[in-house]
Structure formats: structure tokens, C-alpha cells
Amino acid sequence: MAHTKNQVIEKARELARVMAETEEVDFFKRAELQINENVRVQEIIAKIKALQKEAVNLQHYNKTEALKKTEAKIDALQDELDEIPIVKEFKQSQTEVNGLLQFVSTTISNAVTDEIIKSTGGDVLKGTTTKSPFNSGC
């Protein structure tokens, strides 16, 4: 039975809804909420954003020494941010969610490839889509 592109997209949306209910995504959402409510985290992020704008201006006007100092301030603030436990947890959960997405994507890609190989009379183990007349065997 052939499926339409719209049916495939609907199945993808269904899979997305299922994935959104996993432990990994749930933890990610809770960590993001805590980050958004953490005053210290928000202060540091605001300072980083302001310094990034300053850095763009300094770069535009070729102020290399001032740019280096501003970039050093940004790096120090980023290090401070990365040491906050909720930020560490958020980044870890982000890595886990991205890993889950990559795993699902790879699984789908491999399964589609295998289906193409099988449907063309190929060999999944060899990764060929048709039976080769050169390897007829005994």
C-alpha cells in the first residue's frame, strides 16, 4: 500500500508528539523553565548579550584591543554561567534530547534504505539494491 506525502508527514507529527512526552524532553522543559525563572542566570545572559552587541560594534570599527577585552569578559561570563547547576542540567538534557532526535533520524533513514533494498530484490547485508549477476555463487 502506497502512502501519500501528507500521510508520512502526519505520522512524523504523531512521532513528534510521542517524543515530546518522553522523560528526556520533559526534563528539558522543566530545566528550561527553571533557567527562565532564575534571576542570576538571566542577569548573566543579559550581560553577555549586551557585550556581544558591543563586540560587534568594536569589530565594525576595527577596535581590536577593546574587542579582545570584551570577548574575554564574554568568555568569563559564559564560564560563570556554565558553572551554575541548573545550566549544567539544562545543557545535559539538551544533549540527551538531541541524541534522541539523532537516533530516531538515523533509525528512520536506515529503515527506509533497508526497505528500498528489500523491495528491489537487493541484499541488506551488502547494501546493494539488486542481485548482482557477477556473484551468482554455487
Side-chain angles (χ1 to χ4, degrees):
M1 175 185 162
H3 293 283
T4 66
K5 182 178 173 182
N6 287 341
Q7 288 173 319
V8 172
I9 289 169
E10 185 51 42
K11 288 288 184 187
R13 287 188 176 124
E14 184 180 326
L15 178 59
R17 287 189 292 274
V18 170
M19 289 177 65
E21 296 171 2
T22 63
E23 276 183 45
E24 294 87 351
V25 173
D26 186 55
F27 185 84
F28 174 81
K29 289 188 285 190
R30 285 185 283 125
E32 184 177 36
L33 191 62
Q34 288 180 351
I35 279 180
N36 290 336
E37 294 173 350
N38 187 301
V39 175
R40 181 71 187 132
V41 169
Q42 292 308 311
E43 286 174 351
I44 295 171
I45 289 172
K47 286 179 184 177
I48 289 172
K49 286 180 179 179
L51 287 168
Q52 286 171 334
K53 285 181 183 178
E54 184 181 318
V56 168
N57 287 332
L58 292 169
Q59 188 174 21
H60 179 73
Y61 292 108
N62 294 320
K63 305 279 187 180
T64 52
E65 284 305 311
L67 178 60
K68 286 180 187 175
K69 288 179 184 174
T70 301
E71 287 175 340
K73 289 178 188 174
I74 292 170
D75 290 344
L77 285 169
Q78 189 63 55
D79 290 345
E80 184 180 342
L81 189 64
D82 289 343
E83 288 305 311
I84 298 173
I86 189 60
V87 174
K88 285 182 180 180
E89 290 175 16
F90 175 75
K91 286 188 171 189
Q92 178 60 37
S93 72
Q94 195 174 34
T95 299
E96 289 173 11
V97 169
N98 286 338
L100 177 62
L101 288 168
Q102 186 62 48
F103 179 72
V104 168
S105 176
T106 301
T107 301
I108 291 170
S109 177
N110 290 344
V112 169
T113 300
D114 288 352
E115 288 301 316
I116 290 169
I117 290 170
K118 288 178 196 172
S119 70
T120 58
D123 186 331
V124 173
L125 295 177
K126 290 180 182 174
T128 55
T129 53
T130 56
K131 292 182 179 167
S132 173
F134 303 109
N135 297 329
S136 55
C138 299

